[in-house]
Amino acid sequence: MIARLLSACIAGLLLSAPAMACGPDTDCVLGDRHYRIALPEGHDGVTPVGAIVFAHGYRGSAQGTMRNMNMRRMVSDMGLAFVAVKSAGPDWDLPGSPSDMDSTGATEMAYFDAVVEDITTRFRVDPDRIMMSGFSAGGMVTWELACNRPGLFAGFAPVSGTFWQGPPDTCTAPASVIHIHGTADRTVPLSGRPIGDTTQGDVAAVLAMYRDLGAFGGVQTSEALDDLSCQRQDNAAGDVLEFCTFPGGHSFRRSFLSYAWDRLRVAGKV
């Protein structure tokens, strides 16, 4: 009798035990998708913490993103969680992209909804202090999120990526966006380029669309770091639209993340 009761108790404990822990070296599984997360060093697991969600470029991975120890260390030193997301295939599901011209992007919107819900419940990430960023194709999905999920993140920092086929006809609502791009980028040129049956969008046209959408005001020069040259526009809601360029090609620096986060902090967004 005692043995049966003990077995029943153990079975109950196993059934009620939390799912296997995940983190920087283990996938956090969400259905057939996943992400990885690195909490700031010394985090007590209880205190709410801000986060940077980062989307990889073409053929990238969450594992590969997390292997960038310098970037992880920088985000940790900022007191933030670092979240590396992963596309379902080699590239993000983006409207107008060569891989799926007819895509609506709904699959990715649902995935990011799930990621934010999971990190805010499982890891005590503050839902009001999350910045979305990404490089290249990851910058493209960041713009899609800024357009379709503006309230999901406190701000957006797309790097060297924008919409396929130019700006959409409309976006849900304006948010804060800091766009960073190399002036000599040949992979995703500022003025766009044709690829197969589609084209990469013109960054100037995208920024003009977003400026009009959010009623952003006059251009101001921002104090930037290193060789970034930035121009900022604000609106009555307190959002910021900033466009930064650097002399170089299709490249990414971890300092872009800290700069964008600081700009959102100054704007009172994070």
Side-chain angles (χ1 to χ4, degrees):
M1 180 67 176
I2 294 176
R4 286 198 299 271
L5 286 173
L6 184 58
S7 296
C9 289
I10 292 173
L13 287 172
L14 289 174
L15 288 172
S16 62
M20 183 177 294
C22 62
D25 304 312
T26 308
D27 293 342
C28 300
V29 178
L30 293 174
D32 60 352
R33 302 285 292 272
H34 69 271
Y35 69 90
R36 293 194 178 193
I37 184 169
L39 294 169
E41 185 176 356
H43 184 249
D44 59 14
V46 177
T47 306
V49 61
I52 295 176
V53 176
F54 189 82
H56 61 75
Y58 179 61
R59 292 193 178 278
S61 67
Q63 180 184 30
T65 299
M66 277 296 171
R67 285 176 176 170
N68 188 329
M69 296 305 298
N70 288 331
M71 187 155 61
R72 272 178 56 184
R73 188 175 301 110
M74 182 197 73
V75 176
S76 177
D77 289 345
M78 293 165 65
L80 304 172
F82 185 51
V83 182
V85 289
K86 174 67 179 76
S87 59
D91 202 1
W92 298 97
D93 181 18
L94 302 169
S97 66
S99 58
D100 190 356
M101 294 281 290
D102 297 324
S103 170
T104 64
T107 299
E108 300 302 5
M109 297 303 105
Y111 166 68
F112 280 95
D113 286 341
V115 168
V116 170
E117 181 179 3
D118 203 55
I119 64 175
T120 54
T121 54
R122 200 193 310 198
F123 296 101
R124 296 297 300 250
V125 169
D126 185 342
D128 296 323
R129 298 183 62 234
I130 309 174
M131 182 180 81
M132 179 66 213
S133 184
F135 171 65
S136 193
M140 294 175 181
V141 77
T142 300
W143 263 113
E144 290 288 342
L145 286 161
C147 187
N148 295 289
R149 292 292 191 276
L152 193 60
F153 300 94
F156 302 83
V159 181
S160 303
T162 188
F163 298 103
W164 285 98
Q165 296 187 322
D169 294 334
T170 185
C171 290
T172 301
S176 291
V177 176
I178 295 92
H179 182 99
I180 302 175
H181 217 116
T183 56
D185 193 330
R186 295 184 178 180
T187 303
V188 185
L190 282 166
S191 58
R193 65 170 176 142
I195 297 181
D197 295 329
T198 186
T199 58
Q200 293 171 340
D202 184 309
V203 172
V206 169
L207 293 172
M209 175 277 293
Y210 213 71
R211 178 195 63 220
D212 294 342
L213 174 75
F216 289 95
V219 175
Q220 306 173 55
T221 301
S222 295
E223 293 183 8
L225 80 164
D226 300 329
D227 56 357
L228 276 183
S229 176
C230 299
Q231 294 184 324
R232 187 186 83 249
Q233 297 173 272
D234 305 307
N235 67 10
D239 295 313
V240 57
L241 176 62
E242 190 160 335
F243 176 44
C244 300
T245 59
F246 60 92
H250 197 64
S251 61
F252 177 85
R253 306 175 203 163
R254 63 183 184 275
S255 59
F256 294 162
L257 294 181
S258 58
Y259 175 80
W261 181 270
D262 189 60
R263 297 307 301 154
L264 293 176
R265 180 187 58 79
V266 171
K269 297 299 179 179
V270 293

